[in-house]
Amino acid sequence: MKNKITTSIAAAAIIGLAITCFAFKGDQNNRLSKTERANGWQLLFDGRSTAGWHLYNGTAQFTVWKGKDGALVCDPLDKSGAGDLVTDQEFKNFDLKFDWKLPKGGNSGVFVNVLERKDIPAAWASGPEYQLLDNANPDFAKPQSRSGCLYSLAPQKNPVKIRPSDTWNHSEIKQENGKVKFYLNGILTAEEDFSSKAWTNKVASSHFSKFPEFGKHINGRIALQDWSTGVAFRNIKIKAL
C-alpha cells in the first residue's frame, strides 16, 4: 500500500510538471528566445505591467494603459490619466517589432523619435507616426491613413490588408541614422530618410509644418497612441543597430 501511495504521488508530480512545462512552452508571447537574447534583443513590455513606460510629459502611474491578459492595453472606458505612453529610454538606430490589434473602427499609432518637452503638447507634435487603423474606421478611405503608412505623409508603399478586427497583426520599424522602414505583416509599407532635404520639404508642405519640432530628430522616445478607441500590444521588442 505504501509503495502504491508513493508511486501515485510521484506520478502526480510528474503530470503536474508536464502540465506546467506545456503551459510555459505553449505561451511564448512577451518572451525572448536564447537566440534573441544573444543577438541583443530586449523586451519593452514584460507581459504584466507598464514598467519602462510613462505618460508623455507626465509621471502618473495609474493610467488608461495597463497590462492585461498578456497584452499592454489602452482601455477607452478608463478615464484616469489618459494620454500617450512613451518609453523611459531613448533610441536612435534600432529594429522594433510588435504585435497589435484594434477593435472594430479602432485607431492608434506608434511614434518614433519623440521629443518629450513641456512646451510640446503631444507625442505626435514631434514624432512621425506608424499608423494603426482598423478597416472599418472612416479614415480608411484616405490612402495616407491606412495601417503601416507614415501617417498623413505617404500611402502604403506596397498594399497590405490587415487582419480582421480584434485579431493580432505584426509590425516592424527599422531605423538607422534617420533612414526608416515600416513593415506590416512582413511587407514593406513605408520608407523615408528623416535626415534628407526631401523629407524637410515634405513636412514643410504638410499640416505638420505648424509644429516646429516635427520630424526634425533621428533619435528619441517611442510612443504608443491613446486615441480613445482602445488598442492592445504584445511582443514589443527592440534591438540596437
Side-chain angles (χ1 to χ4, degrees):
M1 185 68 173
K2 184 177 180 181
N3 289 339
K4 287 184 178 181
I5 293 174
T6 302
T7 301
S8 298
I9 292 173
I14 291 170
I15 292 170
L17 180 60
I19 291 172
T20 301
C21 290
F22 178 80
F24 178 79
K25 290 185 72 175
D27 184 8
Q28 292 301 303
N29 291 310
N30 307 308
R31 301 180 189 277
L32 294 177
S33 67
K34 290 182 179 179
T35 301
E36 286 176 320
R37 286 194 294 271
N39 288 336
W41 288 92
Q42 68 176 94
L43 286 175
L44 292 183
F45 171 54
D46 61 13
R48 302 180 304 277
S49 71
T50 57
W53 300 80
H54 61 275
L55 281 183
Y56 181 82
N57 274 345
T59 57
Q61 296 300 310
F62 298 98
T63 76
V64 295
W65 295 93
K66 60 197 71 176
K68 182 180 179 181
D69 299 328
L72 183 54
V73 175
C74 183
D75 181 358
L77 301 179
D78 185 345
K79 302 304 179 184
S80 62
D84 296 340
L85 201 66
V86 298
T87 53
D88 293 345
Q89 294 177 263
E90 293 188 359
F91 303 93
K92 182 178 181 180
N93 299 323
F94 60 85
D95 187 355
L96 172 69
K97 296 181 180 181
F98 56 96
D99 298 337
W100 58 274
K101 64 180 178 178
L102 288 166
K104 186 174 181 179
N107 184 358
S108 185
V110 176
F111 304 100
V112 296
N113 305 330
V114 171
L115 182 62
E116 193 172 24
R117 213 166 65 193
K118 294 299 182 183
D119 63 324
I120 300 176
W124 53 260
S126 65
E129 179 182 359
Y130 182 116
Q131 170 76 329
L132 305 178
L133 190 80
D134 183 70
N135 290 357
N137 189 290
D139 281 349
F140 183 78
K142 307 171 187 175
Q144 294 177 325
S145 294
R146 295 175 185 173
S147 290
C149 284
L150 182 53
Y151 173 70
S152 191
L153 293 162
Q156 291 178 339
K157 191 176 182 71
N158 297 295
V160 184
K161 290 184 178 179
I162 67 166
R163 293 160 189 159
S165 307
D166 293 310
T167 303
W168 291 105
N169 292 273
H170 179 72
S171 293
E172 183 173 11
I173 301 173
K174 289 184 178 180
Q175 178 174 276
E176 289 191 80
N177 300 316
K179 295 179 176 66
V180 70
K181 292 181 179 179
F182 291 173
Y183 297 86
L184 173 58
N185 293 328
I187 297 175
L188 179 69
T189 52
E191 192 169 11
E192 189 58 80
D193 184 351
F194 294 144
S195 63
S196 70
K197 181 64 176 177
W199 168 250
T200 300
N201 293 339
K202 188 179 291 188
V203 172
S205 62
S206 74
H207 71 279
F208 289 112
S209 62
K210 300 175 183 177
F211 304 95
E213 297 294 344
F214 180 83
K216 298 288 180 64
H217 307 275
I218 60 171
N219 69 287
R221 303 187 194 279
I222 293 164
L224 310 179
Q225 187 179 38
D226 169 13
W227 198 247
S228 77
T229 61
V231 64
F233 295 90
R234 71 180 184 187
N235 296 325
I236 312 172
K237 60 187 73 172
I238 197 165
K239 179 176 75 169
L241 298 177

